[in-house]
Coordinates of all heavy atoms in Angstrom, one line a residue:
I375 N 81.3 21.6 -19.1 CA 81.9 22.6 -18.2 C 81.6 23.9 -18.8 O 81.4 25.0 -18.1 CB 83.5 22.3 -18.2 CG1 83.8 21.1 -17.3 CG2 84.1 23.5 -17.7 CD1 85.1 20.7 -17.3
G376 N 81.6 24.0 -20.2 CA 81.2 25.3 -20.8 C 79.8 25.7 -20.5 O 79.5 26.9 -20.1
N383 N 77.3 32.9 -15.4 CA 77.1 34.2 -16.1 C 75.8 34.8 -16.2 O 75.6 36.0 -15.9 CB 77.5 33.9 -17.7 CG 78.8 33.2 -17.9 OD1 79.0 32.3 -18.7 ND2 79.8 33.6 -17.1
M490 N 79.3 41.6 -21.2 CA 80.3 40.5 -20.9 C 79.7 39.2 -20.8 O 80.1 38.3 -21.4 CB 81.1 41.0 -19.7 CG 82.2 40.0 -19.5 SD 83.3 40.4 -18.1 CE 84.2 41.7 -18.7
G493 N 78.6 38.0 -24.2 CA 79.7 37.5 -24.9 C 80.1 36.0 -24.4 O 80.4 35.2 -25.2
L494 N 80.1 35.9 -23.2 CA 80.4 34.5 -22.5 C 79.4 33.5 -22.9 O 79.8 32.4 -23.4 CB 80.4 34.7 -21.0 CG 81.7 35.1 -20.5 CD1 81.3 35.8 -19.0 CD2 82.8 34.3 -20.3
V495 N 78.2 33.8 -22.9 CA 77.1 32.8 -23.3 C 77.2 32.5 -24.8 O 77.1 31.3 -25.2 CB 75.8 33.4 -22.9 CG1 74.7 32.5 -23.5 CG2 75.5 33.5 -21.5
L496 N 77.4 33.5 -25.5 CA 77.5 33.4 -27.0 C 78.7 32.4 -27.4 O 78.6 31.5 -28.1 CB 77.6 34.6 -27.7 CG 77.7 34.7 -29.3 CD1 76.3 34.1 -29.9 CD2 77.7 36.1 -29.9
S497 N 79.7 32.9 -26.8 CA 81.1 32.0 -27.3 C 80.8 30.6 -26.7 O 81.3 29.6 -27.4 CB 82.2 32.7 -26.4 OG 82.2 32.4 -25.1
R498 N 80.2 30.3 -25.6 CA 80.1 28.9 -25.2 C 79.0 28.1 -26.0 O 79.2 26.9 -26.1 CB 79.5 28.9 -23.7 CG 80.8 29.1 -22.8 CD 80.5 29.5 -21.3 NE 81.7 29.5 -20.6 CZ 81.9 29.9 -19.4 NH1 80.8 30.2 -18.7 NH2 83.0 30.0 -18.8
L499 N 78.0 28.7 -26.6 CA 77.3 28.1 -27.5 C 78.0 27.8 -28.9 O 77.8 26.8 -29.4 CB 76.0 29.0 -27.8 CG 75.0 29.4 -26.7 CD1 73.9 30.2 -27.0 CD2 74.4 28.0 -26.0
G501 N 81.2 27.6 -29.2 CA 82.3 26.8 -29.1 C 82.1 25.3 -28.5 O 82.9 24.5 -28.2
L505 N 84.5 22.0 -28.2 CA 84.8 21.4 -26.8 C 84.5 19.9 -26.8 O 85.0 19.1 -26.4 CB 84.0 22.2 -25.8 CG 84.6 23.4 -25.5 CD1 83.7 24.2 -24.5 CD2 86.0 23.4 -24.9
N513 N 90.5 25.7 -28.8 CA 89.5 26.5 -28.1 C 90.2 27.6 -27.2 O 90.0 28.7 -27.1 CB 88.5 25.8 -27.4 CG 87.1 26.0 -27.8 OD1 86.8 26.0 -28.9 ND2 86.3 26.2 -26.8
G517 N 90.4 31.6 -27.4 CA 89.8 32.5 -26.4 C 90.9 33.4 -25.9 O 90.6 34.6 -25.7
A521 N 90.4 37.5 -26.1 CA 90.4 38.2 -24.7 C 91.5 39.2 -24.9 O 91.3 40.4 -24.4 CB 90.5 37.4 -23.7
L542 N 82.1 43.2 -24.6 CA 81.7 42.0 -25.3 C 82.8 41.1 -25.9 O 82.7 39.9 -25.8 CB 80.8 42.5 -26.5 CG 80.1 41.5 -27.5 CD1 79.0 40.9 -26.5 CD2 79.4 42.2 -28.7
I543 N 83.9 41.7 -26.3 CA 85.0 40.9 -26.9 C 85.7 40.2 -25.6 O 86.0 39.0 -25.9 CB 86.0 41.8 -27.5 CG1 85.5 42.6 -28.8 CG2 87.2 41.1 -28.0 CD1 86.2 43.6 -29.3
I544 N 85.9 40.8 -24.5 CA 86.5 40.0 -23.4 C 85.7 38.9 -23.0 O 86.1 37.8 -22.8 CB 86.8 41.0 -22.3 CG1 87.9 42.0 -22.6 CG2 87.3 40.1 -21.0 CD1 88.0 43.1 -21.6
G545 N 84.3 39.1 -22.9 CA 83.4 38.1 -22.6 C 83.4 36.8 -23.6 O 83.6 35.8 -23.2
F546 N 83.5 37.3 -24.8 CA 83.4 36.3 -25.9 C 84.8 35.4 -25.7 O 84.8 34.1 -25.9 CB 83.5 36.9 -27.3 CG 83.2 35.9 -28.4 CD1 81.9 35.5 -28.6 CD2 84.3 35.5 -29.1 CE1 81.7 34.6 -29.7 CE2 83.9 34.5 -30.2 CZ 82.6 34.1 -30.5
G547 N 85.9 36.1 -25.5 CA 87.3 35.4 -25.4 C 87.3 34.5 -24.2 O 87.6 33.3 -24.2
N548 N 86.8 35.1 -23.0 CA 86.8 34.2 -21.8 C 85.9 33.1 -22.0 O 86.1 32.0 -21.2 CB 86.5 35.2 -20.5 CG 87.5 36.1 -20.2 OD1 88.7 36.0 -20.6 ND2 87.2 37.0 -19.3
G549 N 84.7 33.1 -22.7 CA 83.8 32.1 -22.7 C 84.5 30.9 -23.5 O 84.3 29.8 -23.2
H550 N 85.3 31.2 -24.4 CA 86.3 30.0 -25.0 C 87.2 29.7 -24.1 O 87.5 28.4 -24.0 CB 86.8 30.5 -26.3 CG 85.9 30.7 -27.5 ND1 85.5 29.4 -28.1 CD2 85.4 31.6 -28.2 CE1 84.6 29.9 -29.1 NE2 84.7 31.2 -29.2
L551 N 87.9 30.5 -23.3 CA 89.1 30.2 -22.6 C 88.8 29.5 -21.3 O 89.5 28.4 -21.1 CB 89.7 31.5 -22.1 CG 90.9 31.5 -21.2 CD1 92.1 30.7 -21.6 CD2 91.3 32.9 -20.7
F552 N 87.8 29.8 -20.6 CA 87.5 29.3 -19.2 C 87.3 27.7 -19.4 O 88.0 26.9 -18.6 CB 86.4 29.9 -18.5 CG 86.7 31.3 -18.0 CD1 85.8 32.1 -17.3 CD2 88.1 31.9 -18.0 CE1 86.1 33.3 -16.8 CE2 88.4 33.0 -17.6 CZ 87.4 33.7 -17.0
P553 N 86.3 27.3 -20.1 CA 86.0 25.9 -20.1 C 87.1 25.0 -20.5 O 87.4 23.8 -20.2 CB 84.8 25.7 -21.0 CG 84.7 26.9 -21.8 CD 85.4 28.0 -21.0
A554 N 88.0 25.6 -21.6 CA 89.1 24.9 -22.1 C 90.1 24.7 -21.1 O 90.7 23.6 -20.8 CB 89.7 25.5 -23.3

Side-chain angles (χ1 to χ4, degrees):
I375 289 173
N383 306 143
M490 180 177 286
L494 282 160
V495 173
L496 181 62
S497 69
R498 283 172 174 169
L499 295 175
L505 289 171
N513 234 47
L542 189 62
I543 295 171
I544 292 171
F546 193 81
N548 284 349
H550 281 292
L551 168 64
F552 286 176

